[in-house]
Amino acid sequence: MPSALSGLKIIEFGSFISAPFCAKLMADLGAEVIKTEEPKVGDDSRRFGPFPGDIPHLEKSGLFLYMNANKRGITVNPRTATGLDIIKALIADADVLIENQQPGVMRELGLDYERLERINPRLVMTSISTFGQTGPYKDYKGYDMTAWHGSGVGPRFAGREKEEPLRGAWYHADHWGAISAATATMLALAARDLTGEGQLVDLSQVECLATHILGYQLVTLYHLTGETSSRAGDILRGGAPAGLFKTKDGFMCLLVMEDQQWVGIKRAMGNPQWTEDPVFNVPSWQRAEVADMMYELMDPWWKSHTNDELFQMLQAERVPAGPLYTPKDLLHHPHLEARGFFQEVAHPKAGTVRMPGAPYRFSETPWRIQRPAPMLGAHNKEILSGLLGFSGVDLTDMRRTGII
């Protein structure tokens, strides 16, 4: 069965999450991705767990195994003349180069787009960085948390009102940057089909979060009124009832924005008398003005039922609500199992590992894992000899001198 991106050749020159995840999204759809890593050291994610038994091992990082499945990998030192020639030779025959080097590194190595387009005019080069390739901050160093708070998202979403803001949750900027970069790369490839020319895709993770999470609403609110929304914690203030609520055995999330949903939750609660008070039978945004009083009245009902009971009752009334799942819940969840979300991958060192699949399904060209993440330098011979024509003696010499 064909894959959606069969025949697409990608060189990955990056580390940790943003560039590897961008390349993974396309590798999972059949693109041929060659991952380049520093000899003996490899991708930073090789040293970032979780590890089986909590014992660090370059070939057993859960993060690395997930981010790099479906790729082939070589080791190459770009700061040697031969190593740089190898990278350029691979780029000359590629459709896409994906990189997330710190500012200035690509130009220092002679791998900036202006020079690479002379080698390969059809190349789409995707550069993922904190602040982008232009502007006064283009040379500033940054990581995921820099992008999170550089986007303006933190003061609105991370924490509770009147308390100090929190750091950004997980690696949102890296992941959203990768997803946006993959999308932009595919659009640049579509443009290449029309023009015959490649181009540079410049992805700023700050702008990515400002687009996806800060959104038009908050920017528009400030532009029109001068107001800046503050952190709301676990309760949403734009409507009611809306937020997270403690139950008999956990927490439920709930968002009631439509009139029929309010009618539904009243039925689920057994139509208690307090719900007939006119102050509660108004549009959701008006009900938010009496939210604290309403939540106090609802509290005994939440705490008298389990998550499973509440989920069934509320969904039966078409009320958008759901339990707060743990990773353990997800790994054994019947709905995800029925959709085949988790995939098992056999790795020569790590054994069989279970990892998330794709959040979408293609009916004709399915997502699939065809090979595990590469061990460090696993495909040196296959690629350097098979594609670039180096002999076995050449490879031995390059290993000895630290080129690969």
Side-chain angles (χ1 to χ4, degrees), residues 9-13 34 36 74 78 83-99 106 109-113 115-125 192 383 387-388:
K9 297 178 181 177
I10 297 175
I11 305 301
E12 179 195 309
F13 187 59
I34 297 176
T36 62
I74 65 168
L84 193 58
D85 287 344
I86 289 171
I87 292 174
K88 288 181 177 177
L90 292 173
I91 292 172
D93 189 45
D95 296 290
V96 176
L97 168 65
I98 299 171
E99 64 92 9
M106 296 302 280
L109 292 172
L111 296 175
D112 51 288
Y113 178 70
R115 279 180 268 198
L116 292 180
E117 70 172 332
R118 295 178 207 148
I119 299 172
N120 181 355
R122 289 176 55 80
L123 178 71
V124 171
M125 177 173 173
R192 189 184 71 171
I383 292 170
L387 291 182
L388 302 184

Side-chain angles (χ1 to χ4, degrees), residues 282-300:
V282 292
S284 179
W285 63 271
Q286 282 186 286
R287 208 161 38 239
E289 297 176 6
V290 292
D292 290 340
M293 179 171 60
M294 181 173 59
Y295 294 156
E296 187 173 342
L297 292 166
M298 293 178 70
D299 189 61

Side-chain angles (χ1 to χ4, degrees), residues 57 59-60 65 345-353 371-375 378:
H57 190 293
E59 303 296 352
K60 297 182 180 180
L65 295 175
V345 183
H347 186 275
K349 288 289 184 181
T352 299
V353 294
R371 64 169 78 229
M375 292 197 293

Side-chain angles (χ1 to χ4, degrees), residues 77 150 159 191 368:
N77 183 349
R368 56 191 161 191

Side-chain angles (χ1 to χ4, degrees), residues 12-266:
E12 179 195 309
F13 187 59
S15 189
F16 202 47
I17 293 176
S18 61
F21 190 45
C22 176
K24 169 190 166 57
L25 294 172
M26 291 186 274
D28 290 350
L29 293 175
E32 301 171 21
V33 176
I34 297 176
K35 180 181 182 68
T36 62
E37 298 182 83
E38 291 272 353
K40 298 182 180 179
V41 178
D43 190 311
D44 287 340
S45 65
R46 289 183 180 273
R47 289 169 292 284
F48 196 94
F51 299 98
D54 203 26
I55 302 173
H57 190 293
L58 283 179
E59 303 296 352
K60 297 182 180 180
S61 158
L63 178 62
F64 181 85
L65 295 175
Y66 171 71
M67 288 288 168
N68 297 288
N70 280 332
K71 303 175 187 176
R72 292 186 292 171
I74 65 168
T75 51
V76 60
N77 183 349
R79 298 187 184 279
T80 64
T82 302
L84 193 58
D85 287 344
I86 289 171
I87 292 174
K88 288 181 177 177
L90 292 173
I91 292 172
D93 189 45
D95 296 290
V96 176
L97 168 65
I98 299 171
E99 64 92 9
N100 66 346
Q101 302 295 323
Q102 285 295 324
V105 171
M106 296 302 280
R107 184 168 298 281
E108 177 189 339
L109 292 172
L111 296 175
D112 51 288
Y113 178 70
E114 289 74 15
R115 279 180 268 198
L116 292 180
E117 70 172 332
R118 295 178 207 148
I119 299 172
N120 181 355
R122 289 176 55 80
L123 178 71
V124 171
M125 177 173 173
T126 299
S127 294
I128 307 171
S129 62
T130 304
F131 296 104
Q133 302 297 315
T134 60
Y137 288 7
K138 65 182 175 63
D139 293 325
Y140 285 10
K141 189 168 182 173
Y143 292 109
D144 181 277
M145 193 160 64
T146 321
W148 174 274
H149 290 290
S151 70
V153 168
R156 174 63 181 87
F157 292 108
R160 297 172 184 269
E161 188 177 13
K162 299 178 182 177
E163 295 182 5
E164 295 177 353
L166 304 175
R167 72 170 179 81
W170 186 224
Y171 292 92
H172 270 296
D174 282 345
H175 286 87
W176 275 114
I179 294 167
S180 299
T183 304
T185 301
M186 294 307 302
L187 294 173
L189 288 167
R192 189 184 71 171
D193 290 342
L194 297 174
T195 66
E197 297 179 354
Q199 60 181 302
L200 173 66
V201 176
D202 169 12
L203 193 289
S204 156
Q205 292 186 179
V206 166
E207 294 170 18
C208 195
L209 286 193
T211 302
H212 291 302
I213 301 181
L214 190 64
Y216 70 92
Q217 282 181 303
L218 300 179
V219 173
T220 304
L221 176 69
Y222 180 77
H223 178 66
L224 296 179
T225 69
E227 296 180 11
T228 300
S229 292
S230 60
R231 296 176 293 283
D234 53 3
I235 294 296
L236 303 180
R237 294 299 181 185
L244 309 181
F245 300 90
K246 187 169 178 54
T247 68
K248 189 175 183 178
D249 61 349
F251 287 86
M252 289 284 290
C253 59
L254 173 77
L255 186 63
V256 172
M257 302 302 287
E258 300 174 6
D259 291 345
Q260 65 269 26
Q261 294 167 353
W262 172 241
V263 173
I265 193 171
K266 287 199 298 184

Side-chain angles (χ1 to χ4, degrees), residues 373-385:
M375 292 197 293
L376 191 57
H379 301 98
N380 281 354
K381 182 177 180 181
E382 178 181 325
I383 292 170
L384 299 180
S385 296

